[in-house]
Amino acid sequence: MSKMLNNRTDMPLQAVKTRIKNFNEVALGYTDDMAKTEASRCLQCKKLPCVSGCPVGIKIPEFIKAIRDDNLAEAVNIIKQDNILPGICGRVCPQETQCENNCVLKKSGNPIAIGRLERFTADWERKNRNRIIKTKAIMETGKSVAVVGSGPAGLTAAADLARMGHSVTVIDALHTAGGVLKYGIPDFRLPSDMIDEDVEKIGAFGVVFQLNTLVGQTQTVDELLEIFDAVFLGTGAGLPIFLNIPGENLIGVYSANEFLTRINLMQAYRFPDYHTPVKTGKQVAVIGGGNVAMDAARCSLRLGAEKVYVIYRRSEIEMPARHEEVEHAIEEGVDMKFLTSPVRFIGDDKRNLKMVQCIQMELGEPDASGRRKPLPVEGSEFSIDIDVAIIALGTTPNPLISQTALELRTSSKGTLVYEESTGRTTKPRVWAGGDVATGSATVISAMGAARCAAADIDRFLKNPSLEDKNNWLTES
Ligand code: FAD
Ligand code: SF4
């Protein structure tokens, strides 16, 4: 194999010493030359293995060829047929387990950097707004859809449905649109103004945004069904899971949701210019091993913590976080305590957190998740001094909507019961997709599910004979 095929083009990064003092993007993006060099490595395979690894089916070799041919407007148009949020996906998708995992060059250890090229294309579009050509004239259908939730699932469903000619209103509980993209993922991985621009572009399709509206309280799903022909629920999984160990209610113990929302949505890292404060510890322990844990740990460093531990009960191989995020966190000085589990938090006489007691773990046989089960090692307890702990163990859907909408069935995990291929829920005229149906997953899987649901809603709205559309439940 030639040298060029072997060499994947590296992503330029902010230097470690500089980046741990700011919230600016760590990955700086390819230059034109880097993108062309990387695009030239693509073999233009006829069988499209990479496309089958992408949940929204981007025509990967086609857009890479357009980059190689210096036709970036065409590259944008090709990507946008299938993915309305390429700048976001190019930055945060776990490409290493999706499209890039299927690339034939993976065998050599150097798959095409598909995500980086997608990001490059999207960034070119941001800089050259007026140069994008293709927009199809839309025939209005006279039908209306309420999309509840403005995360990646809601935004994708809204864009698709609007482009199909339906009148779409996106409703969100927060004062700004974007879901986890806006309140969870920090600016140093995903700049917040990029999300605002994408929301604005979706607004340009005629989508209306109704914010500060908590469905299940301000308006129920049944009330929405009186106004709209169909409802799509993309309300995510925003309810944090806790450890349920002694001391979890001490001062200084946060859920990652609250910690990251203060920092990202409410801009607490710019306090006092912004009004929301955040308690910044000197010694911080983040509990968990996913992207959320990495984000919380790296935010803590940037807020001035002297020591940040990530406490994870399995080993590095089992960590669900993206490999790149773990690597960046370690480079920045995060101390990974693998095979370790917290047993109790200990406070001082004023109930301020001062210590976490942990136990060493070892891996046993694989459990239901297929990963080896962590088991405590008897007599191995030890303590770490900390003044802030951040719990990042995952989330489940908030039950507010399912408790207030008759007929919406939920699973034992609190997710909405739905048909995966169509997004149909157990309630007529109501569809769902994204984390609310799967539990916390990924941006692109939420987008893929929303595209399936939007296609099915469109079929239903254009064919009233499908009215009794939720009989998939009785058929199965
Ligand atoms: P969300 O993004 O959660 O959006 C749901 C929206 O619904 C929110 O805006 C919420 O305000 C609104 N809502 C909820 N209830 C109501 C209601 N009753 N009424 C009105 N509105 C309501 N995935 C990746 O692929 N890569 C990553 O690197 C990555 N990093 C992550 C880092 C963090 C910190 C977190 C928290 C998640 C991360 N994820 C990542 C996961 C990813 O962000 C989610 O899987 C994805 O955002 C799910 O999209 P969604 O549209 O289903 O829900
Ligand atoms: Fe290009 Fe890899 Fe896709 Fe083949 S599998 S078309 S080499 S990106």
Side-chain angles (χ1 to χ4, degrees), residues 88-89 91-94 98 147-156 171-186 189-190 210 212-219 232-238 256-257 260 264 290-296 322 325 395 398 400-401 404 433-447 450:
I88 292 166
C89 295
R91 282 167 169 83
V92 303
C93 268
Q98 296 181 327
V147 169
V148 187
S150 65
L155 292 176
T156 303
I171 303 172
D172 202 287
L174 293 175
H175 61 277
T176 183
V180 168
L181 306 174
K182 193 78 188 175
Y183 76 75
I185 305 182
R189 282 214 292 134
L190 182 63
Q210 180 185 322
N212 297 309
T213 308
L214 183 63
V215 172
Q217 193 161 309
T218 326
Q219 262 174 315
F232 172 80
L233 298 173
T235 43
N257 259 42
L260 292 170
N264 301 317
N291 288 320
V292 183
M294 296 308 119
D295 285 341
R322 289 189 66 197
E325 306 312 328
T395 49
N398 188 316
L400 180 66
I401 288 194
T404 54
D435 283 6
V436 72
T438 56
S440 45
T442 62
V443 169
I444 197 67
S445 55
M447 292 175 68

Side-chain angles (χ1 to χ4, degrees), residues 385-399:
D385 289 342
I386 52 168
D387 51 0
V388 164
I390 303 164
I391 317 291
L393 296 177
T395 49
T396 54
N398 188 316

Side-chain angles (χ1 to χ4, degrees), residues 310-382:
V310 163
I311 296 180
Y312 179 56
R313 60 192 186 138
R314 290 185 162 99
S315 71
E316 186 169 0
I317 310 166
E318 289 86 19
M319 268 190 138
R322 289 189 66 197
H323 177 68
E324 187 177 280
E325 306 312 328
V326 179
E327 200 178 277
H328 287 175
I330 293 172
E331 275 171 16
E332 290 170 9
V334 172
D335 189 344
M336 300 285 173
K337 296 266 177 227
F338 296 117
L339 292 168
T340 304
S341 187
V343 181
R344 67 175 64 233
F345 293 110
I346 299 164
D348 62 17
D349 53 1
K350 295 202 172 87
R351 300 195 46 75
N352 288 308
L353 177 67
K354 63 169 195 177
M355 198 182 281
V356 56
Q357 194 184 349
C358 301
I359 188 160
Q360 212 65 57
M361 309 294 277
E362 61 186 359
L363 294 178
E365 293 301 310
D367 63 14
S369 74
R371 295 178 302 170
R372 291 177 66 195
K373 193 174 173 180
L375 302 165
V377 178
E378 215 176 303
S380 65
E381 286 89 350
F382 63 99

